[in-house]
Amino acid sequence: MPPTRPNWAESLSNRFKSLTLIGIANQHNDQEQREPPPPPTPLEFPRLCAPAIDDPSPLSVGEITKLFSSVPRHGPSISYISALHIQVTYDVNLTDLFPSDFLPPPTWLAESPPTGDVDTSSSKLLNNGVSAPDHAAFYARAKELLLTNDAAFAFLQRKLQPSGVPPTRIAHFRKFWDHLLGMAEFWDASLDKYTTVQEPHRATLRSISRSPLRSLSRSPFRKRSRSPRRGSSRPRSPGSPVQETYTGRRIGCGVNMPVHYREDAICAFVETVAWAFRCRVERPKMEPKLQMGGMVLPIMQTASVYRTPKESQKARKGVVEGPLMAIQCRNMHSFRKEGEKEGVARGEVLDFLKETGLALLVAQRRMREGSTEQITWKGQWWAEQKRWGGGTGKQISLVEAASQSKSARSNEDVKRVPEKYIKLHPPTSTWEKNVEYMQIGKDRSAQYDDIYIISSINHHVSILHFHVAKQYTDFITNLGTSAGSSGGSSQEPWSVLSVQRSRWYDLLKAEDRTEAMRGIWGIMGWLMRDTQSQETEDVQMGGT
């Protein structure tokens, strides 16, 4: 067999792309003086103050329909929170978000934990038949998060390490550190230093905006705003002198950071932990929509965590099971306008409704276990018959169709235009084809479901726990048409949505990164526990 000739064009193209990406992210030296970037974006976090629920009466169908069927001009008010009967608790410890038995102890951050903290989790089986990850698997990942930012970034930039320092190795969290480096170039102001420039040295300053590699990161399809963006530096005339220089890591401000930097970093962070439990993170393949009676509300969702099926054939086809929890990254930096009080600002209400909508969507999808999709439009005249009005739709000539369809590249595309005109498309499905919906981690006898959301703004993450009753999910889905009016208990009625939020963890700090990893690790262990064997043991103990 003759030797195959290498595709030099393809190899050179791939090599150029890799070098370009490295150059775009690391084209400057932290110690080199250059033109100052825009000032850093101030950190601001929402803290909604939900109204107290004195009388846990059933939810009002009319009130919810009236509020969510219209789009308020100035954003939602606190009445939306009252209509959903939401109670929020802030700064909750990780031990209160799930049973503390599944939370790795702080001693696991050491290579050799004390003898009293030696784990036996490797002998336990998860609900997918795989052994639970032990301390060795946890520490192999946690030690990469304990690295300092300078050491990890130097490893990615392939800089020479000082003599006498142990070599840095990053394997599990490699993707996370790559994306975190991009975030740090817009958010990390710890190395910011400004110095006054003398007149003879003004001509030697290097501007990042003039760099040829930096221009490659600008998308040619992105429209430039004519008005200056929030946080941008004041415009200078071409001949104006620079008054000061800058040394540091930033090349811009947080407001101007591309949205996908945060999304990629958070997804890589969660996926590294989820893969230890044989789970994966997947982006939505269709627009997430929350069913609320006759309304369908679009939901912001970055990704979801699913379990990989035991059957290898299903796994090869890309079938996943779940969801277990969801990820939401929001590009919001200001939540309170001038004159608004903290806790009731419309920006805070809107941000919290985004998280609540995603939690209710996850609850709806988990409740689909064992059911099939009900196609409401099948057999209806308005979805299958031609358009009304007396016309057949064929009166559009091919010439007019060609003039209306500029994207038509052939005669076949032109002929399809009248056919598309007479066809009335039914509502799109909200069921993903490759997902087998399951309530993984929920006890069969429990009337409540634990929904976890990994929320991210700025360069921080927070863990939310929604305690959702089955009746509550039924009520939101059908708006009272099939939900019962009784359920729950006097201490915890079904009509109240209980929400717990942890504190915000800074991904640019090693101690916060590891703490967030401990929380996600504990959630995965709690949801992936073997509930069937536990129920069998309870039944046997009850029989004896």
Side-chain angles (χ1 to χ4, degrees):
M1 184 177 179
T4 58
R5 298 181 59 184
N7 191 347
W8 297 107
E10 183 178 358
S11 60
L12 288 176
S13 176
N14 295 335
R15 180 62 177 171
F16 175 76
K17 288 180 181 179
S18 61
L19 291 177
T20 301
L21 292 176
I22 295 175
I24 290 175
N26 316 297
Q27 60 175 316
H28 64 277
N29 188 353
D30 298 343
Q31 306 299 327
E32 182 181 3
Q33 293 185 354
R34 59 181 186 274
E35 185 178 344
T41 301
L43 296 178
E44 187 174 327
F45 299 95
R47 194 177 181 87
L48 179 70
C49 183
I53 303 176
D54 300 330
D55 182 18
S57 58
L59 300 173
S60 174
V61 178
E63 184 181 5
I64 294 178
T65 305
K66 180 181 178 181
L67 290 174
F68 287 90
S69 60
S70 61
V71 181
R73 182 178 181 182
H74 302 288
S77 61
I78 198 66
S79 59
Y80 285 72
I81 306 299
S82 302
L84 295 177
H85 290 187
I86 299 177
Q87 289 183 344
V88 192
T89 306
Y90 289 92
D91 300 332
V92 178
N93 295 327
L94 295 178
T95 54
D96 298 329
L97 295 177
F98 49 87
S100 58
D101 297 339
F102 296 89
L103 180 66
T107 55
W108 275 27
L109 297 175
E111 184 175 4
S112 299
T115 55
D117 293 337
V118 176
D119 65 290
T120 59
S121 58
S122 58
S123 60
K124 300 179 182 178
L125 293 180
L126 304 176
N127 51 31
N128 56 358
V130 181
S131 301
D134 54 3
H135 165 261
F138 177 85
Y139 180 74
R141 293 162 174 79
K143 67 179 182 180
E144 298 180 1
L145 296 180
L146 291 172
L147 296 172
T148 62
N149 296 342
D150 295 336
F153 295 160
F155 172 79
L156 297 176
Q157 296 170 350
R158 301 180 181 178
K159 295 181 179 179
L160 295 177
Q161 299 181 358
S163 58
V165 178
T168 303
R169 294 290 183 267
I170 301 177
H172 298 282
F173 282 99
R174 175 63 182 263
K175 290 184 179 179
F176 166 72
W177 279 109
D178 284 335
H179 300 304
L180 186 64
L181 174 57
M183 292 181 61
E185 292 181 339
F186 292 87
W187 286 100
D188 190 4
S190 60
L191 302 180
D192 286 4
K193 184 179 180 180
Y194 300 89
T195 56
T196 305
V197 181
Q198 301 297 329
E199 186 70 25
H201 300 287
R202 287 176 180 168
T204 62
L205 291 180
R206 181 178 68 88
S207 174
I208 296 180
S209 60
R210 302 190 187 98
S211 173
L213 285 176
R214 194 61 193 169
S215 62
L216 293 175
S217 63
R218 299 176 181 174
S219 174
F221 304 102
R222 186 179 302 169
K223 296 181 179 180
R224 296 184 180 180
S225 176
R226 296 184 179 180
S227 59
R229 303 180 64 179
R230 178 179 178 265
S232 60
S233 58
R234 57 184 180 181
R236 299 190 184 96
S237 58
S240 60
V242 180
Q243 301 297 331
E244 57 184 9
T245 60
Y246 169 83
T247 55
R249 184 170 288 134
R250 291 191 307 111
I251 61 177
C253 59
V255 176
N256 298 331
M257 185 188 73
V259 179
H260 66 89
Y261 279 25
R262 183 184 297 106
E263 296 178 353
D264 296 340
I266 302 303
C267 289
F269 184 82
V270 177
E271 188 173 26
T272 304
V273 179
W275 184 245
F277 297 83
R278 296 301 183 265
C279 297
R280 55 190 298 182
V281 174
E282 280 202 358
R283 303 290 183 99
K285 294 180 173 59
M286 60 177 59
E287 183 182 3
K289 297 177 182 179
L290 175 66
Q291 185 71 32
M292 186 176 286
M295 300 178 293
V296 179
L297 306 181
I299 300 298
M300 171 182 277
Q301 178 186 5
T302 303
S304 296
V305 181
Y306 296 96
R307 184 180 68 182
T308 304
K310 300 179 183 178
E311 298 81 359
S312 58
Q313 294 182 355
K314 288 185 177 181
R316 292 191 190 100
K317 294 179 180 180
V319 178
V320 291
E321 302 169 346
L324 281 79
M325 57 182 172
I327 304 172
Q328 187 181 78
C329 302
R330 302 178 302 283
N331 193 30
M332 298 182 66
H333 311 91
S334 179
F335 304 92
R336 291 174 288 273
K337 296 182 180 179
E338 186 177 357
E340 290 185 328
K341 296 182 180 179
E342 182 181 0
V344 295
R346 293 182 180 268
E348 294 175 312
V349 176
L350 176 61
D351 185 77
F352 189 81
L353 285 177
K354 291 180 180 180
E355 298 171 329
T356 305
L358 180 57
L360 294 178
L361 175 64
V362 175
Q364 283 186 359
R365 291 181 172 179
R366 287 169 62 88
M367 281 191 62
R368 293 173 180 175
E369 181 179 1
S371 60
T372 57
E373 182 180 7
Q374 301 295 329
I375 304 178
T376 57
W377 54 266
K378 194 171 184 179
Q380 300 294 332
W381 67 270
W382 47 266
E384 296 183 353
Q385 295 183 9
K386 296 181 180 180
R387 292 177 183 266
W388 51 87
T392 60
K394 295 295 184 179
Q395 54 268 52
I396 300 181
S397 63
L398 299 181
V399 179
E400 294 177 352
S403 62
Q404 294 178 4
S405 179
K406 298 180 180 180
S407 62
R409 299 180 181 179
S410 62
N411 295 332
E412 295 181 359
D413 294 337
V414 175
K415 293 179 181 179
R416 266 192 229 106
V417 174
E419 297 178 1
K420 293 180 179 180
Y421 176 79
I422 65 175
K423 186 175 181 181
L424 190 61
H425 294 278
T428 58
S429 174
T430 58
W431 291 52
E432 297 191 27
K433 303 302 181 182
N434 67 320
V435 178
E436 292 185 358
Y437 295 105
M438 296 181 181
Q439 289 182 311
I440 300 175
K442 177 182 177 299
D443 295 332
R444 301 305 174 187
S445 60
Q447 296 297 322
Y448 288 83
D449 195 5
D450 296 316
I451 307 299
Y452 293 95
I453 304 296
I454 308 300
S455 177
S456 175
I457 58 175
N458 301 330
H459 49 91
H460 299 71
V461 293
S462 178
I463 302 175
L464 285 89
H465 172 218
F466 290 79
H467 202 51
V468 189
K470 180 181 181 299
Q471 294 92 333
Y472 192 98
T473 307
D474 289 337
F475 185 93
I476 293 298
T477 305
N478 306 283
L479 279 188
T481 57
S482 64
S485 58
S486 63
S489 61
S490 57
Q491 293 81 10
E492 191 176 13
W494 70 265
S495 59
V496 176
L497 182 59
S498 176
V499 184
Q500 295 176 312
R501 181 195 289 276
S502 69
R503 67 180 180 90
W504 290 98
Y505 300 103
D506 190 354
L507 294 180
L508 295 177
K509 296 181 179 179
E511 59 273 11
D512 283 11
R513 289 193 296 264
T514 54
E515 194 70 10
M517 177 189 169
R518 288 180 62 227
I520 300 175
W521 191 282
I523 295 174
M524 293 300 302
W526 163 248
L527 295 178
M528 291 296 294
R529 73 191 187 281
D530 191 359
T531 55
Q532 294 183 356
S533 61
Q534 182 179 358
E535 292 176 358
T536 304
E537 293 177 0
D538 295 340
V539 172
Q540 293 177 354
M541 293 179 63
T544 56

